[in-house]
Amino acid sequence: MFVMELTYTAPIEAVEEELDAHIAWLDGHYAAGVFLASGRKVPRDGGVILAGGVSRAEIESIAAEDPFTVAGVCTYRITEFLATKTSADLATVRENPVV
């Protein structure tokens, strides 16, 4: 599983110009079953996406295709982790690491 942390690198007005395209991009990855949750950080200086079911290379490619990235209004910090314990709602993405 991945935590994708976005940090805005441009004024919020420039971010908002790309917001509709970013939301459409999010919707596509939710429909594909990759994105599990997303939202704005507080204070509003970026956002966070939880994702799973793909490789590190795939998630990096997905981040590179974000309209925010393409427009140069954000950077990504991607952290991979093993979700060994989850709520019942996220049981399908729970991972069992090899010891």
Side-chain angles (χ1 to χ4, degrees):
M1 185 172 290
F2 299 93
V3 176
M4 304 170 69
E5 182 180 5
L6 297 76
T7 300
Y8 298 148
T9 58
I12 196 67
E13 296 80 15
V15 172
E16 288 178 349
E17 288 177 13
E18 303 300 326
L19 191 56
D20 288 343
H22 174 75
I23 291 170
W25 170 85
L26 286 169
D27 289 345
H29 291 291
Y30 273 109
V34 175
F35 290 172
L36 306 170
S38 61
R40 295 175 179 170
K41 291 193 287 185
V42 178
R44 189 178 176 194
D45 61 2
V48 175
I49 302 168
L50 295 181
V54 295
S55 69
R56 175 76 185 210
E58 289 169 304
I59 210 67
E60 288 176 356
S61 177
I62 288 169
E65 295 169 354
D66 180 351
F68 282 175
T69 304
V70 173
V73 300
C74 86
T75 59
Y76 271 92
R77 177 175 177 235
I78 299 172
T79 304
E80 186 171 4
F81 74 101
L82 296 175
T84 56
K85 188 162 182 68
T86 66
S87 69
D89 292 336
L90 292 177
T92 60
V93 298
R94 195 172 300 144
E95 298 169 291
N96 297 312
V98 177
V99 179

